[in-house]
């Protein structure tokens, strides 16, 4: 069973990463390149460093890893390494998405196992959408996907709030959708709303971003749409791969 679970998760993560990387390179990478032109404009160079062409990875790495000076890429350091433009950056984008895809597919598999649900494409899609709501959409309400050249709060604060929001939203959805009694539904709603009442950490930068608001909004919308497709494909592919490996194991046993 473990081999079947791992195999199905690997297939689901790979397929989701292929689809998401293609969409990211087509829809969001051009916006990143456009926003990067604003980073070196005088005082605005102090704002968020380059995203290294991993805009989609920002949705699967806690709290958008393009931080200012706290673990992020620092253009001010001569020894700060970045993937070269072109094929190398595309390769690192795909690799980051693949790692995240497999990891989240394993998480989805663990959730379905804990819920004692037989994985199917339909069931996987439901859990995948729940994953999108908890991991992508809920945190994006307070910390929307950001382009290079945009201010942001310190990385540690954003990561902490991101993790709190993901856990609270996931537990809230479980209480509402699985337990489904008035008391647990109320508790689930409280958990989902609590991180937003506490408030996401905000930028302390006093310099205004030069990124056009329309470009930032377009990037956020596209990134969220890619996140939805990513999680939907993980769910569908995991359910499909689970059934496929099960049939193959049954055929070998009957041979």
């Amino acid at each position: 069973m473990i081999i079947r679970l791992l195999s199905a998760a690997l297939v689901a993560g790979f397929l989701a990463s292929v689809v998401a990387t293609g969409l990211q390179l087509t829809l969001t990478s051009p916006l990143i390149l456009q926003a990067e032109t604003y980073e070196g404009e005088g005082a605005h160079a102090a704002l968020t460093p380059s995203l290294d062409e991993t805009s989609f990875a920002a949705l699967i790495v806690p709290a958008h890893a393009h931080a200012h000076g706290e673990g992020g890429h620092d253009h001010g350091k001569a020894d700060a390494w970045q993937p070269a433009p072109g094929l190398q950056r595309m390769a690192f984008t795909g690799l980051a998405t693949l790692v995240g895809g497999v990891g989240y597919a394993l998480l989805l598999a663990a959730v379905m196992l804990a819920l004692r649900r037989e994985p199917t494409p339909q069931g996987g899609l439901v859990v995948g959408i729940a994953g999108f709501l908890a991991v992508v959409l809920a945190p994006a309400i307070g910390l929307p996907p950001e382009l290079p050249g945009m201010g942001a709060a310190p990385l540690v604060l954003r990561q902490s709030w991101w993790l709190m929001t993901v856990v609270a939203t996931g537990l809230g959805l479980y209480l509402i959708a699985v337990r489904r009694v008035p008391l647990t539904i109320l508790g689930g709603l409280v958990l989902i709303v609590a991180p937003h009442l506490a408030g996401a950490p905000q930028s302390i930068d006093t310099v205004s971003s030069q990124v056009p608001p329309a470009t930032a909004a377009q990037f956020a919308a596209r990134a969220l749409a890619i996140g939805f497709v990513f999680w939907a494909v993980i769910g569908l592919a995991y359910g499909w791969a689970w059934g496929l490996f099960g049939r193959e194991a049954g055929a070998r046993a009957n041979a």
Side-chain angles (χ1 to χ4, degrees):
M1 177 179 176
I2 297 299
I3 299 299
R4 183 181 178 187
L5 184 152
L6 292 175
S7 300
L10 286 172
V11 170
F14 174 77
L15 292 176
S17 67
V18 169
V19 172
T21 299
L23 291 173
Q24 188 266 331
L25 293 174
T26 303
L27 298 177
T28 55
S29 290
L31 297 179
I32 293 174
L33 295 176
Q34 178 184 345
E36 284 178 343
T37 62
Y38 297 99
E39 284 191 286
E41 295 185 359
H44 303 295
L47 294 177
T48 309
S50 172
L51 202 55
D52 287 346
E53 202 78 335
T54 54
S55 64
F56 180 71
L59 288 175
I60 58 179
V61 174
H64 317 294
H66 51 290
H68 346 208
E70 292 192 40
H73 305 284
D74 186 353
H75 290 285
K77 296 181 180 179
D79 59 349
W81 180 86
Q82 294 187 71
L87 183 60
Q88 190 177 83
R89 296 183 74 177
M90 292 171 61
F92 272 84
T93 297
L95 179 60
T97 308
L98 176 61
V99 172
V102 172
Y104 281 127
L106 289 170
L107 179 61
L108 181 144
V111 169
M112 298 196 75
L113 184 64
L115 294 176
R116 298 181 180 179
R117 302 285 177 87
E118 178 69 19
T120 63
Q122 295 81 1
L125 177 61
V126 171
V127 177
I129 292 175
F132 165 77
L133 295 175
V135 178
V136 180
L137 185 60
I141 294 174
L143 294 174
E146 298 158 352
L147 284 165
M150 298 176 64
L155 178 61
V156 173
L157 295 180
R158 288 182 288 143
Q159 287 180 324
S160 300
W161 188 87
W162 181 91
L163 181 60
M164 176 182 68
T165 303
V166 170
V167 172
T169 304
L171 289 175
L173 291 174
Y174 168 76
L175 293 174
I176 294 172
V178 178
R179 291 301 183 181
R180 287 187 293 185
V181 297
L183 184 60
T184 60
I185 291 175
L186 177 61
L189 291 173
V190 171
L191 282 172
I192 291 173
V193 173
H196 305 284
L197 292 179
Q202 300 299 312
S203 172
I204 58 176
D205 286 315
T206 58
V207 180
S208 299
S209 170
Q210 291 298 295
V211 177
T215 301
Q218 189 177 40
F219 173 77
R222 290 183 179 184
L224 290 175
I226 294 172
F228 177 82
V229 173
F230 171 77
W231 277 96
V233 173
I234 285 180
L236 288 169
Y238 180 78
W240 169 79
W242 176 270
L244 176 65
F245 290 123
R247 290 192 296 271
E248 290 181 351
R252 287 194 299 268
N254 295 327

